[in-house]
Amino acid sequence: MNIILRVLLAIYAFFLTLASMFAMLVTIRSDILTDTYTYLYEEVLANRNPSIVMFIIASIFFCLSLTFLLSGFKPEGDKKAIIKYNKNGDIRITLNSIENIALATSRKLSGIRDSKAYVTKVGESVSITVKAIVLPEINIPLLSEDMQVKVKSSVEECTGVQVESVKVLVESIFTGYKSSRVE
């Protein structure tokens, strides 16, 4: 929950506490309710401006109530980790950990100069994208297929997380020097 919702929740809780105290007072002295009703009917609702202000305040509290009610129905899933459950509890494996495994595996392959890995959560499985810079005179389709197989098996063996897909993007071929081309 972000800071704005927390502040609104605190304000809402304060006014709800006042309303609860009023309800407790009414159970002790019922004439308070009739006096309040008479005041609201004769003084506030008889004039147009206080009625509008009262309607706006009631609308704000209604919207806040809906906001807090609906915020409780957000999905429980953790977007930055895969959760595995076993008889002893749960295990959380962060996407960053899976990225590091994919990165280490891809960099071990001969023909790879540098690589970067990105992991996306897809339900209870992951999708991995590896961006690589390859050495010259390497068979790119064979290297890419080998990388896909090894990254997938390495991640699945180390983490137990199902890998839905491994995408390989060859960004560049390493030439040994930086070119400064003008576009």
Side-chain angles (χ1 to χ4, degrees):
M1 190 182 299
N2 64 22
I3 190 72
I4 295 171
L5 279 178
R6 288 179 189 215
V7 169
L8 289 175
L9 182 60
I11 294 169
Y12 183 77
F14 173 74
F15 284 108
L16 194 59
T17 303
L18 291 179
S20 299
M21 288 173 48
F22 180 74
M24 289 187 299
L25 277 175
V26 167
T27 59
I28 295 171
R29 293 187 55 203
S30 60
D31 60 321
I32 292 176
L33 184 61
T34 55
D35 293 342
T36 305
Y37 174 74
T38 305
Y39 172 76
L40 286 175
Y41 185 73
E42 292 175 358
E43 300 294 328
V44 176
L45 296 177
N47 299 328
R48 190 73 179 148
N49 290 340
S51 296
I52 292 172
V53 170
M54 191 171 176
F55 179 78
I56 290 172
I57 291 171
S59 299
I60 290 171
F61 274 94
F62 178 74
C63 290
L64 284 174
S65 297
L66 282 179
T67 301
F68 296 131
L69 180 67
L70 296 177
S71 71
F73 290 114
K74 286 185 180 177
E76 287 291 320
D78 190 356
K79 294 177 184 169
K80 296 181 180 178
I82 300 290
I83 304 170
K84 301 290 248 178
Y85 299 98
N86 63 23
K87 63 181 179 181
N88 298 322
D90 62 331
I91 301 167
R92 294 176 188 266
I93 303 169
T94 64
L95 299 184
N96 188 38
S97 300
I98 296 171
E99 275 181 15
N100 289 335
I101 294 167
L103 191 61
T105 304
S106 66
R107 286 186 176 168
K108 285 180 187 175
L109 296 172
S110 63
I112 299 294
R113 172 69 178 159
D114 193 19
S115 64
K116 297 175 188 168
Y118 302 96
V119 177
T120 308
K121 186 176 177 181
V122 182
E124 291 301 313
S125 61
V126 293
S127 176
I128 302 171
T129 302
V130 179
K131 294 183 178 181
I133 298 174
V134 298
L135 296 174
E137 299 186 21
I138 294 291
N139 187 332
I140 294 174
L142 285 176
L143 179 66
S144 298
E145 187 175 337
D146 188 34
M147 183 184 300
Q148 287 173 317
V149 169
K150 288 186 177 175
V151 166
K152 180 177 178 164
S153 66
S154 178
V155 168
E156 288 179 346
E157 286 174 13
C158 290
T159 63
V161 174
Q162 180 70 32
V163 177
E164 188 172 289
S165 66
V166 178
K167 298 173 188 144
V168 177
L169 172 65
V170 177
E171 285 188 312
S172 179
I173 296 175
F174 181 72
T175 58
Y177 63 91
K178 298 243 184 216
S179 65
S180 58
R181 66 179 192 187
V182 177
E183 293 186 26

